[in-house]
Amino acid sequence: MKILVINSGSSSIKYRLFDIEEKSVLAVGIVERIGLETGRIKHAVGQQETARELRIADHGQGLREMNALLTDAEIGVIADPAEITAVGHRVVHGGEKFSQPTRIDAEVIAVIRELIPLAPLHNPANLQGIEVAMQVFSQAAHVAVFDTAFHQTMPPASYRYAIPDNYYTEHGIRVYGFHGTSHAYVAEKAAEHLDQSLSETNVITAHLGNGASITAVKNGQSLDTSMGFSPLAGLIMGTRSGDLDPAVVFYMADKFGMSPEEINQTLNKKSGLLGICGSNDARDILERQAAGDEQAKLALEMYTWRIKKYIGAYTAALGRVDALVFTAGIGENSAYIRQQSCAGLENLGIALDANKNNAPGNSVAEIQTNDSRVKILVIPTNEELRIAVETLKVLQEKNVQQFPV
Ligand code: AMP
């Protein structure tokens, strides 16, 4: 069975076509610069890469161009779009309405639309992708997989903010948490690796990419997470500040006359590693630090200090930690950042083995010392695969007759 996964942003569409029984990727690509003067499509089938430059007026054209590549006589991987049984869509915000992947119909679209005020940058682009894909792949089942859904198990003590009650009850201001697909994927992989049932597994999952968040997973469910009402909270990120005293915002407004939008841009786009040392690329910062650059050194100290504090807090929250997991671009690749984030945590049972940490390999790897109480794992995340698998589960649960598998 073929399942297409779509991650639609405001000017790009990332896609991946799976043969889900084989868990193999048939094709992967990205449509970029939609709506701009010149657009671009990069498409890969195995090692064979195709790149095209052309104006792509809108998401509809983007998906039709993708479809043309998927069904191309020479490089195509399917003969007909009808071969795609289902399309799994990444949707950033599911609010409190969606705690599970959900088959998309008119009602679901209406609810995703209602949630736009909570995710003004992401949900409109996700919706656009859904609506266009439902036309282009009209015969397929469409399923929404929400970034927030995994965190819907958090208890009120984790998700409520200590502000007047009505801001939550009437306006939905609370912690939602994000990167749920990735946290859920690596937590499952960790349980599998530990040979434990997920429902009895406690892990701390650190997703350290350009965006970054950390989650305390208790008995397989999200108990607490570092991102909040929006993806701005928590860890220091590429360009986002992470946790900040809210009084800084009033001070910026009063002292510098900045508008809410200017402050929003500053904290989301000009802060984090970029704000501290002028770069948001961890590789670049690590190189600069190694060459003695003080700004880069400070940025990395702040970055790993924040991670370490969250690991400590979540160890307290969980009581027993079976594993600490590092994932995403930085978590999977930077031995230095893993080492600094774990330094001094031996009293919490977290002890990293320097040699293993330096060469973790490219599947699930253990990098703790022999006497570390907590396993420390490096697990490559695969959000697209999880979206495809979740999409399949929705079909199996609700449409067994319509979509035998
Ligand atoms: P992601 O958002 O998961 O793609 O992660 C992007 C981040 O991962 C960027 O800050 C990259 O610099 C970082 N990254 C990717 N590869 C490496 C590497 N080999 N060493 C350190 N950081 C890396």
Side-chain angles (χ1 to χ4, degrees), residues 207-211 280-284 286 328-330 333-334:
H207 176 110
L208 309 178
N210 226 334
N280 61 340
D281 188 311
R283 275 165 298 203
D284 172 41
L286 286 158
I330 296 171
N333 293 302
S334 175

Side-chain angles (χ1 to χ4, degrees), residues 204-206 208 214 216 235 304-318 321 324-326 337-338 340-343 345 348 350 374 376:
I204 297 172
T205 51
L208 309 178
I214 183 162
L235 301 178
T304 52
W305 181 250
R306 182 82 53 92
I307 296 169
K308 190 196 309 222
K309 288 202 294 185
Y310 266 97
I311 294 172
Y314 286 171
T315 300
L318 288 170
V321 182
L324 164 65
V325 180
F326 287 99
I337 286 175
R338 290 192 297 263
Q340 290 298 107
S341 303
C342 294
L345 295 181
L348 299 183
I350 297 171
V374 175
I376 309 175

Side-chain angles (χ1 to χ4, degrees), residues 8-13 30-36 40 59 125 128:
S8 174
S10 56
S11 66
S12 71
I13 303 168
I30 181 166
V31 184
E32 292 174 297
R33 301 171 56 83
I34 296 172
L36 299 181
R40 187 168 45 198
H59 285 64
Q128 204 169 2

Side-chain angles (χ1 to χ4, degrees), residues 249-264:
V249 174
F250 321 135
Y251 194 82
M252 284 176 159
D254 291 344
K255 193 84 179 165
F256 313 122
M258 289 169 77
S259 68
E261 185 46 34
E262 283 169 330
I263 299 175
N264 194 358

Side-chain angles (χ1 to χ4, degrees), residues 87 89 91 102-106 108-109 112 130 134 142-144:
V87 183
H89 297 266
V91 180
T102 305
R103 177 97 181 234
I104 301 172
D105 58 17
V108 168
I109 289 180
I112 297 173
I130 289 172
M134 286 178 94
H142 291 258
V143 171

Side-chain angles (χ1 to χ4, degrees), residues 92-134:
V92 166
H93 217 306
E96 291 186 322
K97 297 277 170 60
F98 298 106
S99 57
Q100 295 293 332
T102 305
R103 177 97 181 234
I104 301 172
D105 58 17
E107 202 181 325
V108 168
I109 289 180
V111 178
I112 297 173
R113 184 164 287 120
E114 275 169 29
L115 292 167
I116 285 177
L118 294 179
L121 296 179
H122 294 102
N123 273 28
N126 299 158
L127 260 181
Q128 204 169 2
I130 289 172
E131 290 183 317
V132 171
M134 286 178 94

